[in-house]
Amino acid sequence: MHSICPVSLRTPNIIVAIFQLLLFSTLFLSSLPYWSPANVQAVGSPDFSIALSPSFAVYPQDMSQLSSSIILTSENGFNGVVDLNFYWYNGSSDIFISLVNPYLNSGRSVTETVKIFSPPLPSTGCCGILGVTGSSSSLSHSANLTIAVPSGPDFALSSDLPSITLAPGAHGQSSVTVTSIDSVGGRVFFPPATLQNSRFSGGWSFYLDEVWLVPGSRGSVMFQVYAAVDALPGSYVFKITGSSFSHSHSINLTVNVSPIVSGDFELTINPETLVMHPNTSINATMSLRGFDGFSGSVYLSAIEVSQCCPLPTTGDPFAPRAFARPSQIMLGINGFDNSNLTIETPNLPLHGNYTIEVFAQSGSIIHAFNLTVTVPPVQKLFTIESDPISINTISGRSASSTLTIRSVYGYAGTVSLSTTVSSLGSIQARVSSEVVKLQPQVQNQYIIGSLATANLTISSSSSTTPSGMYLITVRGTAGAYMYTDYVIVKLISSGPSAQPSTSTSSSTRSNILSLPITIFYGTIAALVISVAVAVSLLVWSSRGKKDSVDPSMTNI
C-alpha cells in the first residue's frame, strides 16, 4: 500500500517547469509552419492616399502655365470614387481640373492635373496655399499646394469712365488703362469680366484682352457691353481684373440701363492734327453740341489705333495715349460744352503717324472722331553738360572742366567728341577721350539709361597770350545725331607788368632844356613870382596873428 504524500512546489520549481514547457512547445510546434509568428499578418481596412507633385511652386514670370499633379493611390484594396474639393487657405485664383470625381481601382493610382490661372495673391507676398481634399464615404485625406509669388514691379488699373449709360438694345464701351509702376514690363491680361450683382440681359467682352507694357509706359483695352432690347433699367456692376505674372488688380465699372434718348448731338475736336515730340503732352478741345431737343449725359473716351499691321490694333506701348478730362459732360436741351483731350507721347525715340479715335456716347447714340498725331524723328540721342560752364584762367597755365554725356531714350553706343576755339591759335582745348561709350545701366532687370564722362583741358600757348574772352565749342556725334555744348573761358594775361623807369630825372631835364627860349625863361619867371607870393602870404599871416590882441588882456 502506497501512501501518497503531498508535494509542495516552491517558486524555483515553477520557473523550471514553465521553462521546460516553453522549450517543449517550441520543439513540438516547429514542424507546423502555420503557427510561426512570421507568417501572421494584420490586414488593414481599405484606404487611399493623396499627394501633390509638385507641392511647392513659384508662380512663373514668363508665358508658362503653373500646374500640379494630384496623385491618388489605392491602399489595402480600396476601390471606388474619390470626391475632390479645393480650398484657398491663403490667397485666391481661378483653377481648372478635368475630373473632380475620379474612380480609383484597387491596387492602382490615378493622376489628375490642377491648373492655376493667376497669382493667388493680389500683391507680392510669401505664398498662396491651395488645399486639396479627397473624400470617399468616411475616408478623407488632404494635401496642400504652396505657391510662392515672387517680388517684382507692379501696375495700376483705371477706367476712363466710372460708369456707362446705355439704352436697351445699345452698345457701350469704356477704355481701361494699365499704368506701369516701378518699371514693370511685360504682359497684363484680362480674363472675362464678372457681374457682381443681378442678372444682366445682354453681353460684354474686351476688345483686345491684353496689354504689353514697357517700363514707364501705359496701355489700354476697351471694355465693351451690349444691353439687350429687353434689358431692365437699373445699374449693373462689373468687376474687371488685370493680371500679370506677379500681380493682379481689379476695378469695378457700372453699367446704367436707361430709356432711349431723344434728339442727337455732334462732336468736334480742335485741332484735328497734332505734331508732337517724344515725352510731351498737348491738349485738344472736344466740343459737344446738342440739337433736336437733345439733353443728357455724354461720356467721352479715347483709344489709340495703330495701322502697323494688316488689321488695326490698340494697346501699342510705343504709341501716344489720350485721356478725356472730364470724361462726362451734362448737356441741357440743345446745350453746348467743352472737354479737354490730353495726348501724351512716351519717352521713346520712335516716330510715325498715329490715330486717336475719340468716342462720345449717350445712351444708344455714339459718335466717333479721329485725331491724327505725327511724331517726327528725334534730333538727339544724348546730351552733353559741362561743369563748370565758365572758367577763369591765367595765360601760360591750364584749367579743366568735366563733360558729362548722358543717353536719351535709352540710347547705348559710342559718342565721338571734338572741340573748336573761337580764336584759333590763342588757346588750346582738348578732351581726355575722343570717343566715349554709353553702356546701358540695369536696375531691377530694366534699362534705366547710361552716362559717360570726359575731361576738357584748356591751356594757352605762352604767358604772352593776350587777355580776353574765348568760346570753346564741344561737339558730340553718334551717326547722324549731333549735340553741342559750350564753355566760356576768361583768360588773364600774365606778361611782364610796367616797371618805374630809373632815368626819369634825366629824361625830364633833357626835355626841359630842349624847350624854346621864350618858354624856358617864361617858366623860370613863373616860378620866381610863385615863390614871392608864397613868402608875402606867410609874412602877412604871421603879422595878423601878432597884431590881434585878446581884449581880456588889456588890463594886465
Side-chain angles (χ1 to χ4, degrees):
M1 184 172 189
H2 299 281
S3 60
I4 301 175
C5 299
V7 178
S8 61
L9 296 177
R10 294 189 175 97
T11 301
N13 295 331
I14 294 174
I15 295 174
V16 172
I18 293 174
F19 176 79
Q20 291 176 347
L21 180 61
L22 290 173
L23 178 62
F24 171 77
S25 63
T26 302
L27 295 175
F28 178 76
L29 297 176
S30 62
S31 60
L32 302 176
Y34 50 85
W35 282 99
S36 173
N39 292 298
V40 177
Q41 298 180 356
V43 178
S45 302
D47 203 348
F48 67 90
S49 63
I50 185 171
L52 286 167
S53 180
S55 60
F56 177 85
V58 178
Y59 199 85
Q61 298 288 295
D62 52 21
M63 298 292 295
S64 60
Q65 175 69 60
L66 189 149
S67 62
S68 180
S69 297
I70 305 172
I71 304 173
L72 298 170
T73 304
S74 171
E75 297 179 357
N76 303 328
F78 176 85
N79 194 47
V81 176
V82 178
D83 296 332
L84 295 178
N85 292 288
F86 302 88
Y87 306 92
W88 282 104
Y89 296 110
N90 186 23
S92 64
S93 178
D94 294 331
I95 64 174
F96 172 79
I97 185 171
S98 60
L99 186 62
V100 294
N101 299 317
Y103 189 89
L104 185 59
N105 290 311
S106 175
R108 290 186 165 275
S109 295
V110 172
T111 300
E112 293 292 340
T113 300
V114 59
K115 296 181 179 180
I116 313 297
F117 287 97
S118 63
L121 299 176
S123 61
T124 55
C126 170
C127 308
I129 301 175
L130 175 65
V132 182
T133 300
S135 303
S136 180
S137 299
S138 61
L139 301 175
S140 180
H141 299 287
S142 299
N144 292 337
L145 170 61
T146 301
I147 304 172
V149 179
S151 59
D154 203 353
F155 64 91
L157 288 183
S158 62
S159 175
D160 291 346
L161 299 177
S163 63
I164 302 173
T165 300
L166 300 174
H171 289 81
Q173 57 189 7
S174 175
S175 178
V176 178
T177 301
V178 187
T179 303
S180 169
I181 300 177
D182 299 331
S183 301
V184 70
R187 184 172 74 104
V188 177
F189 56 91
F190 288 80
T194 56
L195 186 62
Q196 298 297 292
N197 47 3
S198 57
R199 179 179 178 273
F200 178 75
S201 179
W204 61 91
S205 63
F206 286 102
Y207 176 51
L208 296 183
D209 59 359
E210 65 179 30
V211 169
W212 281 92
L213 294 178
V214 296
S217 71
R218 294 177 178 178
S220 59
V221 298
M222 188 65 75
F223 177 71
Q224 300 177 325
V225 61
Y226 166 75
V229 292
D230 59 348
L232 297 176
S235 297
Y236 303 87
V237 179
F238 290 86
K239 182 179 180 181
I240 297 174
T241 301
S243 299
S244 68
F245 288 103
S246 60
H247 294 277
S248 181
H249 297 287
S250 300
I251 59 172
N252 289 335
L253 190 145
T254 302
V255 176
N256 299 312
V257 178
S258 62
I260 298 176
V261 180
S262 61
D264 202 348
F265 64 91
E266 64 177 358
L267 168 68
T268 57
I269 299 180
N270 184 37
E272 300 181 11
T273 59
L274 293 171
V275 177
M276 301 179 63
H277 294 282
N279 196 28
T280 57
S281 176
I282 295 179
N283 287 333
T285 301
M286 299 179 292
S287 299
L288 296 169
R289 184 184 299 275
F291 55 88
D292 292 341
F294 174 86
S295 66
S297 294
V298 180
Y299 297 91
L300 298 166
S301 62
I303 191 169
E304 183 275 330
V305 181
S306 297
Q307 303 293 336
C308 63
C309 311
L311 294 176
T313 60
T314 62
D316 182 356
F318 306 106
R321 296 285 173 265
F323 310 92
R325 298 187 177 99
S327 59
Q328 180 178 355
I329 297 294
M330 182 65 189
L331 294 180
I333 298 176
N334 295 336
F336 173 83
D337 206 345
N338 292 328
S339 177
N340 286 328
L341 180 67
T342 302
I343 302 98
E344 300 175 352
T345 53
N347 188 19
L348 298 168
L350 299 179
H351 61 277
N353 296 321
Y354 302 92
T355 300
I356 303 296
E357 191 169 0
V358 181
F359 298 94
Q361 178 180 354
S362 180
S364 59
I365 303 174
I366 300 177
H367 294 287
F369 195 100
N370 289 340
L371 177 70
T372 301
V373 178
T374 299
V375 180
V378 298
Q379 301 300 317
K380 62 182 180 181
L381 294 178
F382 58 89
T383 61
I384 302 176
E385 300 173 1
S386 56
D387 184 22
I389 61 174
S390 179
I391 300 175
N392 295 334
T393 185
I394 300 175
S395 61
R397 300 181 184 180
S398 62
S400 64
S401 178
T402 301
L403 302 177
T404 301
I405 302 93
R406 300 180 186 273
S407 68
V408 181
Y409 310 116
Y411 169 72
T414 59
V415 176
S416 299
L417 300 176
S418 61
T419 61
T420 57
V421 182
S422 58
S423 179
L424 297 178
S426 300
I427 62 173
Q428 296 79 41
R430 64 180 184 275
V431 290
S432 58
S433 300
E434 294 184 352
V435 177
V436 295
K437 190 171 185 179
L438 296 176
Q439 295 274 4
Q441 298 179 0
V442 179
Q443 180 177 337
N444 296 331
Q445 301 180 354
Y446 298 99
I447 297 176
I448 61 173
S450 57
L451 60 85
T453 58
N455 287 329
L456 173 66
T457 303
I458 299 99
S459 61
S460 57
S461 58
S462 67
S463 60
T464 60
T465 303
S467 301
M469 303 292 290
Y470 299 90
L471 181 65
I472 298 176
T473 303
V474 181
R475 184 175 292 104
T477 57
Y481 296 94
M482 181 179 68
Y483 189 79
T484 302
D485 193 32
Y486 300 95
V487 177
I488 300 174
V489 178
K490 181 180 180 181
L491 186 68
I492 303 173
S493 176
S494 63
S497 59
Q499 298 294 328
S501 176
T502 58
S503 59
T504 302
S505 58
S506 62
S507 174
T508 304
R509 183 169 59 252
S510 63
N511 289 336
I512 292 176
L513 293 175
S514 64
L515 293 174
I517 189 65
T518 55
I519 297 177
F520 175 76
Y521 285 108
T523 302
I524 295 298
L527 289 173
V528 172
I529 294 171
S530 298
V531 171
V533 171
V535 171
S536 301
L537 290 174
L538 180 62
V539 171
W540 178 83
S541 175
S542 299
R543 182 179 299 175
K545 290 181 179 180
K546 186 175 180 180
D547 295 339
S548 60
V549 180
D550 188 352
S552 63
M553 300 294 293
T554 57
N555 297 325
I556 297 177

